[in-house]
Amino acid sequence: MSDSTIAHDRGETTTPLLTTTIDANLQATIERFGDREALVDIAGGIRMTYAEFGAEVDRLARAMLARGYAVGERVGIWAPNRAEWTIVQYATARAGLILVNINPAYRTHELEYVLKQAGISLLFAVESFKNSDYRGMVDAVRDHCPDLREVVYFATDSWSALLTNADQIAPDAAAKVSATLQPQDPINIQYTSGTTGFPKGATLSHANILNNGYFVGEVCGYSEEDRICIPVPFYHCFGMVMGNLAATTHGACMVIPAPAFDPAATLAAVQQERCTSLYGVPTMFIAEWALPNFTAYDLSSVRTGIMAGSPCPAEMMKKLITAGIDEVTICYGMTETSPVSTQTRTDDGFEHKVGTVGRVGPHLEIRIADPVTGETLPRGEAGEFCTKGYSVMLGYWNEPDKTAEAIVNGWMRTGDLAIMDPDGYVRITGRIKDMVIRGGENIYPREIEEFLYTHPDVLDAQVVGVPDAKYGEELCAWLRLREGAEPITAESLRAFCTGHLARYKIPKYVKLVEEFPMTVTGKVRKVEMRTASARELGLGE
């Protein structure tokens, strides 16, 4: 096979990779755009120019150094989105401390595991949020975490007291430490939500996440004129890399609409701050457009944005285009790849934006491999998506065996099933473990979900496999319906699908829900859905 027929592609290299650290890049942005707005935290009532933001970052970096925290030590952060989160992100990078993102949804069991596994010395947290008592959970595990020397709570005396330490150290102390850091140094650990066992800590370098944020922003066409609305969590790459680092590498403004996703607060922020870019997973965009007073919001400033986490439903993309947001890009990736591997371009056509996750990003390499043999497949055949290049993590923190399983000859194995088109665009057809095998037929839930979105009463759809004595597996469709819609039954859904889907692809079971079980990053938890479906239907495991 010639290169044009095998499922292997390389990104363009016209724009060079950034070869500095996160802090060196931020300082360069401050020099160029010091008077421009860097950060707006609407709930916190905080606005900062780049010069002001840089001063806060430096103050916290000096405070941590004065308290004795040394390059390479791990600093945890356990909080929803707020201005201080972003300050901690850049201050740890300036001081050479490895920031450990802790999922705000974690409870004591998971918190204790991460604090111990990463060896966290200093923890930043909020005291409480919604129904979570963070201080209480920290108190419950603190005695079991010998490395943890100090806990600082935002918006309390402990935060103010920590910052006063900055005055005990030379004004240029943090700058001197920053100058000793290298782009390949580890600077961030993100725990990937494992479906079995404990999560693994993907360890990322300055070069990993700085470049990924930069090139994602380049593809979106960012400049210092842009204002990015970031309702996605900072704890995940979507918020802190594709959001914050894409902004600071271009001199753009980071806009935090609320501590956690709120559709009305997000659209209000876009309108108030005249945001030019809007982020979200598909369920966030669906929730925003479903607001009863949606048309009251002025979204005319938005030109671009990023949808990621799961593929974009065609119906949602039509709504974005109708609203004038026709340069939205679709991204695909994983925490272990910093995160983005493929992205649609702002001028791509409708079919590419709804049918694919784009093509390979700059300076990266991708291929579709046979999951068993590892051989690169022809274009048009489904196999495992693998990626290689600057974005691949350094490894899982203190887990060399798991690192060796995931990265083979420099290639990160994603566990996602994908197909590469003749023009290099990639379609994700599901997780290898989400594929349903019914009577020997391989079924990709994504294809069925796309069709179910065309039902006039379906707001959102997810399809999972459930056990079946005759066929091995059958399909169960979880549906969220529009307000006021008549209930959909298995019989009425079968009637809707007949003639459009092959018989074996028509769901046997239907479950109507108000919401899907989700991870904090907005990914649907299909493992949980399969278990619940099988239990409720009395189908066993």
Side-chain angles (χ1 to χ4, degrees):
M1 290 182 292
S2 68
D3 278 351
S4 62
T5 63
I6 64 167
H8 177 270
D9 205 4
R10 286 187 174 87
E12 57 89 16
T13 56
T14 312
T15 304
L17 284 165
L18 300 179
T19 56
T20 61
T21 61
I22 290 168
D23 184 60
N25 181 269
L26 176 64
Q27 299 310 315
T29 298
I30 292 166
E31 283 179 30
R32 291 180 65 199
F33 305 118
D35 293 337
R36 295 195 70 91
E37 214 160 49
L39 180 66
V40 177
D41 176 357
I42 291 174
I46 294 169
R47 284 179 188 274
M48 292 184 205
T49 64
Y50 266 100
E52 290 164 343
F53 180 65
E56 289 300 308
V57 165
D58 182 68
R59 183 159 73 123
L60 178 57
R62 283 186 291 122
M64 291 187 291
L65 292 170
R67 293 285 293 161
Y69 297 103
V71 170
E73 281 197 75
R74 274 75 63 207
V75 173
I77 186 162
W78 195 31
N81 290 12
R82 53 190 296 142
E84 293 94 335
W85 209 112
T86 310
I87 293 165
V88 170
Q89 176 184 343
Y90 287 86
T92 49
R94 184 163 174 78
L97 298 160
I98 300 173
L99 181 67
V100 183
N101 303 5
I102 304 175
N103 186 330
Y106 278 1
R107 292 297 177 259
T108 51
H109 184 58
E110 299 139 315
L111 172 66
E112 181 180 337
Y113 174 78
V114 168
L115 289 170
K116 289 162 80 169
Q117 206 273 334
I120 289 171
S121 309
L122 166 63
L123 176 66
F124 289 100
V126 287
E127 288 193 295
S128 62
F129 182 67
K130 292 187 176 175
N131 61 353
S132 292
D133 176 9
Y134 289 96
R135 185 186 277 272
M137 288 187 273
V138 170
D139 289 345
V141 304
R142 195 167 180 176
D143 289 344
H144 307 294
C145 302
D147 295 309
L148 185 60
R149 304 205 299 274
E150 189 173 7
V151 181
V152 172
Y153 293 98
F154 296 136
T156 68
D157 290 345
S158 62
W159 171 253
S160 310
L162 174 67
L163 291 174
T164 61
N165 287 274
D167 300 328
Q168 299 169 17
I169 200 166
D172 62 351
K176 284 183 172 175
V177 170
S178 176
T180 68
L181 306 177
Q182 299 299 316
Q184 292 304 326
D185 291 343
I187 204 63
N188 185 214
I189 298 173
Q190 300 201 24
Y191 280 84
T192 61
S193 38
T195 51
T196 56
F198 281 108
K200 302 184 290 289
T203 307
L204 305 169
S205 67
H206 294 266
N208 284 152
I209 56 177
L210 180 67
N211 276 291
N212 207 264
Y214 173 64
F215 281 107
V216 163
E218 284 289 286
V219 172
C220 288
Y222 287 157
S223 74
E224 69 276 13
E225 300 292 332
D226 281 290
R227 299 173 69 79
I228 308 170
C229 183
I230 311 172
V232 294
F234 288 156
Y235 120 84
H236 185 257
C237 276
F238 201 169
M240 69 163 284
V241 178
M242 298 152 71
N244 296 346
L245 284 166
T248 60
T249 51
H250 291 88
C253 180
M254 302 167 276
V255 177
I256 306 170
F261 176 63
D262 176 311
T266 301
L267 296 188
V270 169
Q271 175 176 291
Q272 174 187 311
E273 298 300 323
R274 303 299 294 159
C275 293
T276 59
S277 179
L278 174 60
Y279 285 12
V281 298
T283 51
M284 290 180 175
F285 283 97
I286 289 167
E288 288 155 10
W289 262 250
L291 288 171
N293 64 337
F294 169 75
T295 53
Y297 294 99
D298 177 6
L299 308 183
S300 60
S301 58
V302 186
R303 109 187 130 74
T304 186
I306 293 175
M307 195 182 297
S310 53
C312 173
E315 296 304 308
M316 189 63 241
M317 184 57 72
K318 286 176 189 170
K319 291 174 182 176
L320 288 169
I321 292 168
T322 301
I325 309 171
D326 53 5
E327 292 185 17
V328 70
T329 71
I330 308 298
C331 287
Y332 161 77
M334 63 190 305
T335 304
E336 290 90 335
T337 56
S338 305
V340 175
S341 297
T342 65
Q343 188 172 6
T344 58
R345 291 356 187 218
T346 53
D347 57 354
D348 276 343
F350 182 80
E351 289 307 319
H352 277 144
K353 287 188 176 180
V354 299
T356 80
V357 289
R359 51 193 168 91
V360 63
H363 295 277
L364 296 174
E365 204 174 335
I366 61 172
R367 69 188 185 102
I368 312 298
D370 183 304
V372 178
T373 67
E375 295 288 319
T376 304
L377 294 168
R379 294 194 182 196
E381 286 191 21
E384 184 175 18
F385 183 97
C386 302
T387 186
K388 191 178 193 178
Y390 78 81
S391 70
V392 175
M393 66 174 179
L394 300 176
Y396 292 119
W397 185 261
N398 283 345
E399 297 198 78
D401 292 347
K402 289 181 179 172
T403 302
E405 286 172 24
I407 304 172
V408 181
N409 298 322
W411 289 98
M412 180 73 210
R413 300 184 59 178
T414 65
D416 284 324
L417 287 165
I419 296 170
M420 186 183 291
D421 293 344
D423 56 2
Y425 282 76
V426 173
R427 286 184 291 130
I428 301 297
T429 55
R431 292 289 291 167
I432 288 174
K433 63 176 182 285
D434 284 344
M435 185 176 74
V436 178
I437 304 175
R438 181 192 182 275
E441 296 278 5
N442 290 355
I443 303 173
Y444 302 106
R446 163 76 177 152
E447 177 192 354
I448 300 159
E449 290 159 3
E450 271 297 331
F451 176 70
L452 296 181
Y453 280 121
T454 68
H455 192 294
D457 291 330
V458 171
L459 192 61
D460 207 350
Q462 297 292 331
V463 173
V464 295
V466 293
D468 184 77
K470 183 176 180 181
Y471 294 107
E473 283 187 285
E474 272 288 5
L475 299 174
C476 178
W478 287 44
L479 304 177
R480 287 177 58 220
L481 302 186
R482 299 184 192 286
E483 205 170 320
E486 288 292 317
I488 293 174
T489 64
E491 291 73 26
S492 64
L493 189 69
R494 174 170 288 278
F496 179 76
C497 295
T498 299
H500 299 281
L501 290 177
R503 288 175 66 86
Y504 69 87
K505 293 181 182 176
I506 298 175
K508 182 175 180 179
Y509 306 104
V510 170
K511 179 175 168 65
L512 303 181
V513 295
E514 292 294 319
E515 58 186 8
F516 303 126
M518 309 279 273
T519 68
V520 74
T521 56
K523 290 189 178 180
V524 176
R525 296 185 62 85
K526 287 203 169 181
V527 172
E528 208 171 293
M529 291 167 64
R530 278 196 295 272
T531 304
S533 301
R535 185 177 62 246
E536 288 174 25
L537 294 166
L539 300 173
E541 287 303 315

